[in-house]
């Protein structure tokens, strides 16, 4: 299995409806032109929320629960859409590039905003976006989306990058040959079991999310990293159709 050398942010997620790929600009240039690939009409930027002074390499992620409360909710109140991506190592909140000024303005009062320039972490206040914005009125949230929870459990794991070549064929089988042709969303109303697989390779760190049965059936022992508790995760699906951004 090989990925574009210059690509530093790559994520592939399989659901019963489709495949979703998140890739950085360099990786996007490597993708072939195809009428079968639908590309979002917006460029997204990744926010990584960490504790411990802002050095992401030494800090610990504060967890999706606190992120949702302290970051996503304020952005939602300002009508700013987000795309959430969680990995074994940390959590990322993707925001549209055109929304960055308002994102900076919204979060600057609660967070120290930093950016990475040539590998160095520097203050982001020089972007000139911390003043001059009129705070919008709070946006009502009248829409209630249906929830469903499949019966199968999921593992959130990681993999030593050095062992990637030895399991490349196996990963390809899980990614692309785990089931038959994709079925329309309308035919997947039964929530008793769902096929789901996620592979991310971000800055050299690999994250995998898959069904417990897939993990036990296909992967050799001592290949995957899991949490010390070996805990499994339940899935809650939001809505019955694409939510949009």
């Amino acid at each position: 299995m090989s990925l574009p050398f210059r690509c530093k942010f790559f994520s592939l997620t399989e659901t019963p409806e489709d495949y979703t790929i998140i890739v950085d600009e360099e990786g996007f240039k490597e993708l072939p032109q195809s009428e079968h690939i639908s590309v979002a009409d917006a460029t997204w930027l990744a926010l990584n929320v960490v504790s411990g002074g802002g050095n992401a390499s030494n800090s610990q992620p504060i967890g999706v629960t606190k992120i949702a409360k302290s970051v996503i909710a304020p952005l939602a109140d300002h009508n700013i859409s987000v795309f959430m991506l969680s990995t074994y190592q940390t959590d990322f909140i993707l925001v549209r590039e055109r929304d960055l000024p308002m994102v900076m303005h919204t979060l600057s009062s609660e967070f120290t905003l930093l950016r990475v320039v040539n590998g160095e972490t520097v203050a982001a206040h020089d972007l000139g976006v911390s003043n001059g914005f009129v705070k919008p009125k709070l946006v009502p949230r009248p829409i209630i989306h249906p929830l469903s929870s499949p019966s199968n459990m999921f593992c959130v794991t990681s993999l030593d990058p050095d062992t990637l070549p030895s399991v490349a064929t196996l990963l390809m089988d899980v990614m692309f040959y785990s089931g038959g042709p994709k079925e329309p969303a309308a035919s997947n109303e039964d929530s008793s079991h769902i096929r789901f697989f996620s592979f991310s390779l971000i800055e050299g760190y690999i994250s995998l999310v898959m069904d417990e049965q897939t993990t036990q059936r296909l992967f050799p022992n001592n290949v995957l990293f899991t949490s010390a508790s070996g805990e499994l995760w339940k899935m809650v699906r939001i809505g019955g159709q694409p939510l949009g951004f």
Side-chain angles (χ1 to χ4, degrees):
M1 181 178 187
S2 63
L3 295 173
F5 176 77
R6 294 177 296 173
C7 181
K8 301 297 184 183
F9 196 112
F10 173 87
S11 175
L12 181 146
T13 302
E14 176 194 12
T15 68
E17 293 79 22
D18 55 26
Y19 295 97
T20 297
I21 298 175
I22 305 174
V23 67
D24 61 21
E25 184 176 10
E26 295 299 330
F28 181 75
K29 294 176 181 178
E30 301 286 342
L31 293 178
Q33 297 291 327
S34 173
E35 61 181 7
H36 302 295
I37 299 179
S38 300
V39 182
D41 60 357
T43 301
W44 296 76
L45 303 176
L47 307 179
N48 186 208
V49 184
V50 297
S51 60
N55 188 336
S57 61
N58 297 323
S59 304
Q60 296 296 318
I62 65 175
V64 66
T65 301
K66 290 185 178 179
I67 288 178
K69 179 180 179 180
S70 60
V71 176
I72 297 178
L75 294 179
D77 287 338
H78 288 76
N79 204 25
I80 299 172
S81 298
V82 302
F83 189 112
M84 187 72 189
L85 174 66
S86 294
T87 69
Y88 182 83
Q89 292 81 18
T90 187
D91 300 294
F92 295 94
I93 300 173
L94 278 67
V95 297
R96 289 175 297 197
E97 184 177 29
R98 62 176 178 266
D99 291 334
L100 182 60
M102 184 57 72
V103 170
M104 300 280 290
H105 177 68
T106 302
L107 300 180
S108 60
S109 62
E110 298 293 335
F111 294 91
T112 300
L113 304 179
L114 306 169
R115 60 175 177 162
V116 178
V117 179
N118 297 324
E120 297 292 331
T121 302
V122 299
H125 58 264
D126 60 337
L127 294 179
V129 295
S130 59
N131 296 302
F133 287 88
V134 177
K135 183 176 180 180
K137 296 180 180 179
L138 294 183
V139 178
R141 306 174 189 171
I143 300 176
I144 299 178
H145 295 285
L147 303 178
S148 63
S149 180
S151 60
N152 48 329
M153 305 286 284
F154 296 87
C155 302
V156 180
T157 67
S158 186
L159 179 71
D160 186 338
D162 292 337
T163 66
L164 185 58
S166 66
V167 296
T169 302
L170 176 58
L171 285 173
M172 294 293 288
D173 285 341
V174 177
M175 286 181 185
F176 304 114
Y177 305 103
S178 58
K182 297 297 177 185
E183 300 176 355
S187 65
N188 287 280
E189 296 178 357
D190 181 9
S191 63
S192 62
H193 188 278
I194 185 175
R195 185 173 64 253
F196 180 92
F197 179 82
S198 174
F199 173 90
S200 300
L201 176 57
I202 302 174
E203 296 291 342
Y205 292 100
I206 296 174
S207 175
L208 298 164
V209 182
M210 70 192 85
D211 186 280
E212 177 191 14
Q213 286 73 25
T214 300
T215 306
Q216 296 177 347
R217 185 177 71 252
L218 298 180
F219 286 85
N221 293 330
N222 303 320
V223 171
L224 300 176
F225 302 139
T226 58
S227 63
S229 64
E231 63 186 355
L232 299 176
W233 294 77
K234 288 288 292 182
M235 174 185 290
V236 176
R237 301 194 76 194
I238 304 174
Q241 57 186 3
L243 300 180
F245 298 101

